[in-house]
Each structure stands twice: as structure tokens, then as C-alpha cells.
Amino acid sequence: MENTIKSGVEILDEFFENLVDLENVDSKIAELLKDLYLEGTLTESHVKNELEKLRNEKNSPDED
């Protein structure tokens, strides 16, 4: 039996790819985190800013 060791990057790639499929994870937040990771901008400040945008979208009345 051959054991392969995954690199940190492989583990992170797999985690963010499957994040949206995890139970009890908000799909919009999962997509947001995945996108930030793929863009290489997954930092505390980017996460806070994007979560604030989501919060504002959720709390703002729909405009048609």
C-alpha cells in the first residue's frame, strides 16, 4: 500500500474546493472564501470587507 503525502497547498486547494459542500456552511460565505483564496487575497481585511458587503446586501431592501 502506497501512502502519499499531500503538500499544504494541495490540502488548502482541496479544502476550499469542497468548502461549499460541508454541512452547516453558508454557501455564499463558502463561495466568498473560495474566491478570495483562488485570487490570492485571503487576508483578514479582505474577509472582513467582503463579509460586511454580504451583510449589507442581506439587510438592504430589494430594489426593483
Side-chain angles (χ1 to χ4, degrees), residues 1 4 15 19 25 33 37 52 54-58:
M1 177 182 259
T4 58
F15 172 77
L19 185 60
V25 174
L33 294 174
Y37 173 73
E52 184 67 29
L54 281 178
R55 211 174 289 121
N56 290 337
E57 288 174 10
K58 184 177 180 181

Side-chain angles (χ1 to χ4, degrees), residues 28-42:
K28 286 186 179 184
I29 294 174
E31 284 296 325
L32 170 111
L33 294 174
K34 178 182 171 184
D35 291 344
L36 289 175
Y37 173 73
L38 293 174
E39 293 168 4
T41 58
L42 185 62

Side-chain angles (χ1 to χ4, degrees), residues 4-63:
T4 58
I5 298 174
K6 293 181 183 179
S7 70
V9 172
E10 290 172 319
I11 292 169
L12 288 171
D13 288 346
E14 187 176 306
F15 172 77
F16 283 103
E17 188 62 38
N18 296 310
L19 185 60
V20 74
D21 298 326
L22 294 176
E23 189 176 330
N24 299 319
V25 174
D26 183 281
S27 61
K28 286 186 179 184
I29 294 174
E31 284 296 325
L32 170 111
L33 294 174
K34 178 182 171 184
D35 291 344
L36 289 175
Y37 173 73
L38 293 174
E39 293 168 4
T41 58
L42 185 62
T43 63
E44 181 180 357
S45 60
H46 280 106
V47 171
K48 284 180 180 179
N49 291 337
E50 294 301 318
L51 287 174
E52 184 67 29
K53 286 180 190 177
L54 281 178
R55 211 174 289 121
N56 290 337
E57 288 174 10
K58 184 177 180 181
N59 293 329
S60 68
D62 292 332
E63 295 180 23

